[in-house]
Amino acid sequence: MYGILYCITKIVVTALIRVLPVEFFNRLCLVLPGRLIQHGLRQLGASIGENVKFMPPVVFHNFSDHHASAFRNLTIGNNCFFGRNSFFDVQCPIIIRDNVSIAMGVMLITHTDVGASPLKQGYLPSTKAGIIIGEGAYIGARATVLQGVEVGRQAIIGAGALLRKSAPDHTIWAGVPARQIGTVKSVNGVVANSHCAGGKGIAD
């Protein structure tokens, strides 16, 4: 029964995506099952690998209005997980490699723009740059990754961290702003154990 209902819903969502504004799909991502979010993103130009799981709601920002390429800046590899309330600013490319886990409430921000504020003159000029999340990385709940940052392979970003500079492979970062507090040991590409300053719970 579920399979039949899913197929019918998939057909309906596909039809709606083709005729309604892209923002309509963005609103649907607040309630759609993860498999249909994946399907819609592929229909709208994103590259999504196999065995990817989204937990709704998911919010997208700064996508294009062109249906065939609205989410062209989003690339996700295989075996990735995205917790509830994930936020993607796709003004610039976001590239997420294989086997990445992103916990609830994580924000990926690719631009800064203060609009008409006089702060734009010299203090906070408009800037933008892409984000890369390396293979096997983990980003903890409610962390924020800013524009131009690359999270290294098997790196850990702790819960609530504000990451404004790149984190090398196999490192552990926490805090606001985030700083490196440890390293992750790896054997033949598989995480064996980790050590960090500050005790347990940094990546909850």
Side-chain angles (χ1 to χ4, degrees):
M1 184 65 181
Y2 174 79
I4 295 173
L5 182 60
Y6 171 76
C7 290
I8 294 171
T9 306
K10 184 176 179 180
I11 292 170
V12 172
V13 169
T14 301
L16 291 174
I17 285 173
R18 291 176 178 172
V19 299
L20 293 175
V22 180
E23 177 59 26
F24 175 80
F25 170 72
N26 191 36
R27 301 292 179 91
L28 284 179
C29 288
L30 299 177
V31 296
L32 280 178
R35 288 201 298 169
L36 287 175
I37 293 174
Q38 288 183 59
H39 172 70
L41 288 171
R42 290 187 180 110
Q43 294 290 308
L44 293 167
S47 175
I48 310 292
E50 299 299 321
N51 193 33
V52 173
K53 186 172 184 179
F54 289 95
M55 299 295 291
V58 180
V59 177
F60 299 95
H61 184 51
N62 283 320
F63 42 81
S64 166
D65 290 330
H66 302 290
H67 281 70
S69 59
F71 289 90
R72 66 186 181 278
N73 280 339
L74 182 61
T75 300
I76 297 173
N78 301 317
N79 308 312
C80 292
F81 173 85
F82 301 92
R84 298 187 189 281
N85 291 305
S86 299
F87 182 96
F88 299 81
D89 171 13
V90 290
Q91 181 163 329
C92 289
I94 295 175
I95 300 172
I96 299 170
R97 309 294 190 195
D98 295 345
N99 308 313
V100 167
S101 290
I102 292 183
M104 66 198 81
V106 169
M107 302 186 73
L108 305 178
I109 309 295
T110 66
H111 86 292
T112 297
D113 188 351
V114 298
S117 171
L119 292 171
K120 181 175 287 189
Q121 305 304 318
Y123 192 75
L124 279 176
S126 297
T127 56
K128 60 182 181 179
I131 290 171
I132 299 174
I133 310 295
E135 192 274 332
Y138 174 82
I139 302 181
R142 298 196 177 279
T144 299
V145 180
L146 297 182
Q147 62 199 51
V149 165
E150 180 170 355
V151 176
R153 186 171 182 267
Q154 296 179 6
I156 296 173
I157 311 303
L162 174 63
L163 190 66
R164 60 182 185 178
K165 60 183 179 180
S166 294
D169 295 353
H170 307 118
T171 56
I172 303 171
W173 292 65
V176 179
R179 61 184 180 86
Q180 184 179 343
I181 63 170
T183 58
V184 176
K185 295 181 180 180
S186 178
V187 179
N188 296 325
V190 178
V191 174
N193 55 67
S194 65
H195 67 278
C196 64
K200 300 179 180 179
I202 57 93
D204 290 345

